[in-house]
Amino acid sequence: MPSTVSMSSLRRLMTSGILGVLFALPLAHGEHGPAAPATTQNGWSEVTLQSGQFERSSTPQWAQPLPIPTQGPEAPLYLPLQEQQFQIDEKAALTRYFHVAVAGTDAARLKNEGRQALSFNPAFEQLALHTLTVWRAGKAIDVRDSTTPRFLSADGAQSTVYGGQVTVLLEIADFRAGDQLEMAWSIRGNNPVFGTHVWQSLTWAGNVPVWSRRFSVRAHASARIHVDSLLNDNLAERTQAAAFKRTDTTRDGWQWTTFEGQRLPALSYEDSAAPGTIQNNLVSLSNFKDWGEATVWARGLFEGHAEPTSPAYRSLLAEVKRQASPAEQVAYALRWVQREIRYASISLGENAFRPTPPDEVLQRRYGDCKDVALLLTRLLQDAGIPTQAALMNTENGPLVQRLQAVPWFNHAVAVAWVDGKPYALDGTLAEQTPRLERMTAWHAGSEVLVVAGPQAGFLRVPLPNPADALGIERHSHLLIRAGDLPARLSVTLVLTGAAAEQQRQQLRSVEPEKVKQGFLRELSKLYPGIMWSGEPEAQDEPADNRMTLRGRFELPNPLKRHPSGSWRYTYAQDEINERLVRLPGDLRNVPLGLSMDPQRAVVTTTLELPAGERIDDAAYDEHIDTPYFTARLQRQRIAPNKVTDRSEITIIQPQVPAGDIRTYNAAALRVLDADTALHVTR
């Protein structure tokens, strides 16, 4: 699926203004991209456009720009006006018109707005700049023709994604504190892969206040456009909904839908929101009648390709069929693709959505998610296993179904049914375990749109069994020796599920010495002066998706003198704490997202002192049970000089409703604030 040039990364690299972010829309990628790069700055290559791809022109006759308000808030940076007008004509051709003004009282922040970035795809879109005006002391200074645009592409700096997206960088030479900037531009065209289908989506609020806001759609009745909005109820309570007024009219064969609002405050997002949480008002437009019609369109992307007949395909299919059972056939095919097909996306024009035929993928040995999804689908179908391609959105969870008929997807997988159970197969992941039933369900809980077959439609990827979920166990034994001898530390890590797969990939792709250095660097944050004692050991059990790592170390005595005169040893339980979120209070408007799906972490720490010394802390065993996680905190006295602490947490539900935050907080703080210090008498 397409991968867009990030406007936010351009902001970081080049400190451009707010317009590019506020008006960034999900655009597909072109097939006749810009000319070869000329120069490179911060990873962005200078490119040359062909005639007609960028122009300066007057405002389209159909657009009806609003006047810039004469009043505004006393804000460091705000938009006096923000409007978008979309037109879809009788041939379903799309033109998007943008009009915005920027002002503020903060001279430093306003100065940055003299550099603006607009993004489009010249393969199938044309960008026209209509207005570029600096307002100074009530007078308009037209700088459109005197500002020389630069055309930049990030493709030359990326090793795996090529999309053809171009950013137009506008540097306004004389933009001063106290000035106001007005811009208007339009983008005409749509990816040809959609044919006569049109879809767009946008958010209503932004990260700065907006004094006057409007979005309108002018669509010919024959285009069958429908406009949907999805309101954030919590946002409504914070005065946004009153500024979200919709009007629908029909006249002379055209339909107008307009959203208007005034005095919109800057939108503040709450951290750690659960996937699919809506923290803005959303608007979408589409002429897909319903999800069934969108599914038919998506099915066409994966059907109609020539039958794969290459020797490479026939040989691979024979190996798949040679496996003993359907589960083993699926696992073999998936692991082969993960191991042998390098991830690279050339998402130009229709290729942003239409997959490459399997024979070509096998010949060149690279592809992106949709390419390997089609390859896996054809392989397994030809092996007699029910398999279909499916589309998914990796970021918004169930949100995709709630905005009707918008193909809002950014990833593709193959879904195979074995013994009646669906398995979402992602060929872009690192090589997984050879046992299908033990493979990590990386997209567990996500909704995918299966595009064909009896199971066509939305399907929720099943959650993994607890035994197959991500698991981390860290067992440490610290031996304090008498005299000035260095302490000895042994650490054992037991990783299962996704944790094992991640570690397995790291050990394959990173030099062993660098892995050792990284491990030591992390431990040195807790134990300054720590050094390896012997070589680390790794035991991999891929069939069970389990990996065990062991290391031995020597270090200066880590006991610290306490102001009371006693000694203290404090250990870390990061694997526990990282699975819970510490919230600043008990009030929240949106659900809280914990770690990914069911998972378990265990930390055990054993402190052993020389004979004659003792650890003063008493034993305890505390259970904490909530609907979202369970925890057990234990301290066991093995001998006067030897104590083991054990902390265990299991995530049961990865989402906490906003109304239950107080209960969650109280339980989470009992874990996060657990005493990890052992008090020693020497």
Side-chain angles (χ1 to χ4, degrees):
M1 300 306 291
S3 51
T4 59
V5 174
S6 170
M7 296 299 295
S8 58
S9 65
L10 185 63
R11 271 178 57 98
R12 291 193 297 271
L13 291 171
M14 310 190 74
T15 323
S16 43
I18 61 176
L19 303 190
V21 174
L22 287 168
F23 286 104
L25 290 173
L27 305 176
H29 304 294
E31 109 187 278
H32 305 294
T39 60
T40 301
Q41 175 181 335
N42 294 328
W44 291 80
S45 303
E46 202 99 31
V47 297
T48 303
L49 297 184
Q50 299 174 12
S51 175
Q53 293 176 325
F54 172 84
E55 64 181 9
R56 296 176 178 88
S57 66
S58 58
T59 300
Q61 290 186 353
W62 59 267
Q64 301 175 0
L66 289 173
I68 300 177
T70 56
Q71 295 180 326
E74 285 291 320
L77 191 66
Y78 75 100
L79 301 182
L81 173 68
Q82 180 187 6
E83 67 169 326
Q84 294 138 298
Q85 300 181 41
F86 290 3
Q87 175 177 267
I88 300 100
D89 65 19
E90 60 272 19
K91 297 181 180 180
L94 170 67
T95 304
R96 293 169 289 147
Y97 171 81
F98 306 89
H99 183 208
V100 66
V102 185
T105 59
D106 188 320
R109 293 182 66 183
L110 193 61
K111 184 179 179 181
N112 289 334
E113 301 309 310
R115 173 177 284 188
Q116 290 296 332
L118 312 177
S119 185
F120 79 116
N121 196 309
F124 50 83
E125 294 174 334
Q126 299 84 46
L127 190 148
L129 181 61
H130 308 305
T131 303
L132 190 60
T133 300
V134 175
W135 289 87
R136 182 175 299 154
K139 296 183 178 180
I141 305 171
D142 188 346
V143 297
R144 187 190 68 169
D145 295 333
S146 61
T147 300
T148 302
R150 297 174 61 195
F151 306 108
L152 305 176
S153 169
D155 282 352
Q158 299 176 358
S159 60
T160 59
V161 178
Y162 302 85
Q165 197 84 346
V166 167
T167 294
V168 182
L169 185 65
L170 301 170
E171 303 247 17
I172 302 168
D174 185 20
F175 188 68
R176 310 173 187 175
D179 288 349
Q180 187 176 102
L181 175 65
E182 180 184 6
M183 292 183 64
W185 70 100
S186 61
I187 298 174
R188 185 172 64 254
N190 202 21
N191 193 317
V193 76
F194 289 107
T196 58
H197 287 298
V198 179
W199 68 274
Q200 292 287 309
S201 60
L202 57 88
T203 55
W204 181 244
N207 58 356
V208 296
V210 179
W211 192 255
S212 180
R213 175 81 165 96
R214 182 174 75 169
F215 168 64
S216 64
V217 180
R218 179 179 186 265
H220 196 272
S222 62
R224 302 182 299 111
I225 296 294
H226 59 87
V227 182
D228 295 313
S229 58
L230 188 59
L231 302 184
N232 175 0
D233 293 337
N234 294 304
L235 201 61
E237 295 173 2
R238 284 144 48 198
T239 73
Q240 278 273 337
F244 193 76
K245 180 182 177 182
R246 173 172 177 162
T247 304
D248 292 276
T249 59
T250 301
R251 187 172 65 252
D252 300 329
W254 292 83
Q255 64 183 60
W256 278 266
T257 300
T258 301
F259 296 88
E260 295 180 280
Q262 291 76 40
R263 304 186 183 188
L264 277 65
L267 180 62
S268 297
Y269 286 92
E270 296 188 35
D271 294 333
S272 304
T277 299
I278 305 165
Q279 298 201 59
N280 206 329
N281 292 330
L282 305 179
V283 179
S284 73
L285 62 94
S286 171
N287 62 355
F288 285 97
K289 181 178 63 176
D290 51 29
W291 279 114
E293 187 173 335
T295 302
V296 171
W297 168 81
R299 182 184 310 154
L301 300 176
F302 291 89
E303 294 181 346
H305 297 274
E307 290 286 332
T309 58
S310 66
Y313 181 84
R314 292 198 301 268
S315 175
L316 177 57
L317 178 60
E319 285 297 320
V320 171
K321 289 182 173 180
R322 200 168 287 127
Q323 307 307 306
S325 67
E328 291 172 288
Q329 291 173 343
V330 171
Y332 181 91
L334 176 61
R335 282 164 50 83
W336 190 95
V337 168
Q338 291 172 336
R339 182 178 65 250
E340 300 293 339
I341 304 300
R342 175 174 59 90
Y343 179 83
S345 177
I346 303 181
S347 299
L348 302 175
E350 294 197 13
N351 289 335
F353 294 89
R354 194 179 302 284
T356 305
D359 280 344
E360 186 176 342
V361 173
L362 291 174
Q363 188 273 329
R364 67 189 190 184
R365 288 299 181 102
Y366 69 80
D368 60 15
C369 62
K370 63 186 183 299
D371 300 334
V372 296
L374 177 60
L375 173 58
L376 283 168
T377 298
R378 293 306 302 267
L379 265 177
L380 295 175
Q381 285 179 344
D382 288 347
I385 297 170
T387 308
Q388 296 296 339
L391 306 180
M392 67 179 299
N393 187 303
T394 59
E395 299 174 354
N396 291 315
L399 171 64
V400 69
Q401 278 203 62
R402 299 172 65 180
L403 283 173
Q404 290 298 315
V406 177
W408 198 352
F409 304 104
N410 63 359
H411 195 49
V413 296
V415 177
W417 279 264
V418 178
D419 296 330
K421 180 180 178 181
Y423 291 86
L425 312 176
D426 191 338
T428 67
L429 298 174
E431 188 177 356
Q432 295 182 271
T433 175
R435 288 174 57 189
L436 183 64
E437 70 276 11
R438 298 306 304 269
M439 282 184 179
T440 300
W442 283 90
H443 303 300
S446 298
E447 286 180 321
V448 298
L449 181 64
V450 181
V451 302
Q455 300 286 348
F458 280 100
L459 169 74
R460 186 176 294 274
V461 179
L463 295 176
N465 296 321
D468 302 324
L470 182 147
I472 299 177
E473 296 185 23
R474 188 188 74 199
H475 306 286
S476 303
H477 184 277
L478 177 64
L479 174 63
I480 306 297
R481 298 197 288 171
D484 296 328
L485 293 174
R488 289 177 174 171
L489 174 69
S490 62
V491 179
T492 300
L493 284 175
V494 181
L495 310 174
T496 56
E501 291 178 357
Q502 291 170 337
Q503 186 64 58
R504 192 175 292 122
Q505 173 63 16
Q506 184 187 42
L507 293 178
R508 289 172 180 164
S509 59
V510 181
E511 297 176 10
E513 190 58 34
K514 289 186 178 180
V515 175
K516 285 181 59 179
Q517 293 172 2
F519 195 21
L520 194 66
R521 188 163 49 248
E522 288 300 311
L523 284 174
S524 65
K525 296 176 184 178
L526 185 63
Y527 304 111
I530 190 170
M531 299 293 294
W532 281 97
S533 175
E535 290 296 311
E537 302 173 9
Q539 180 182 353
D540 192 7
E541 303 168 82
D544 292 326
N545 212 1
R546 176 187 177 98
M547 176 172 284
T548 304
L549 307 172
R550 297 183 179 87
R552 296 181 298 276
F553 309 87
E554 289 194 346
L555 62 151
N557 191 325
L559 297 185
K560 305 297 181 183
R561 173 77 74 172
H562 192 260
S564 65
S566 65
W567 295 81
R568 176 177 295 184
Y569 165 65
T570 302
Y571 62 90
Q573 57 172 13
D574 294 344
E575 287 82 359
I576 300 292
N577 295 344
E578 288 174 359
R579 271 136 193 88
L580 297 177
V581 179
R582 184 186 294 272
L583 298 175
D586 294 332
L587 298 178
R588 191 175 175 87
N589 294 297
V590 300
L592 173 69
L594 301 179
S595 303
M596 54 176 285
D597 298 318
Q599 54 179 273
R600 175 175 174 267
V602 176
V603 172
T604 65
T605 302
T606 299
L607 175 63
E608 184 174 355
L609 303 177
E613 300 182 8
R614 75 173 190 272
I615 303 169
D616 299 327
D617 302 88
Y620 60 80
D621 190 348
E622 183 178 6
H623 295 255
I624 302 170
D625 294 316
T626 77
Y628 315 106
F629 70 88
T630 62
R632 187 176 185 183
L633 309 176
Q634 298 172 284
R635 179 164 289 171
Q636 181 180 6
R637 296 186 62 85
I638 300 172
N641 66 327
K642 188 175 182 180
V643 168
T644 294
D645 274 14
R646 186 179 189 276
S647 302
E648 176 182 350
I649 185 169
T650 301
I651 303 297
I652 303 172
Q653 294 288 344
Q655 179 170 314
V656 182
D660 207 16
I661 294 299
R662 183 182 299 275
T663 301
Y664 162 82
N665 247 0
L669 291 178
R670 289 169 64 187
V671 179
L672 295 170
D673 293 339
D675 186 9
T676 60
L678 290 162
H679 304 81
V680 175
T681 297
R682 309 198 73 183

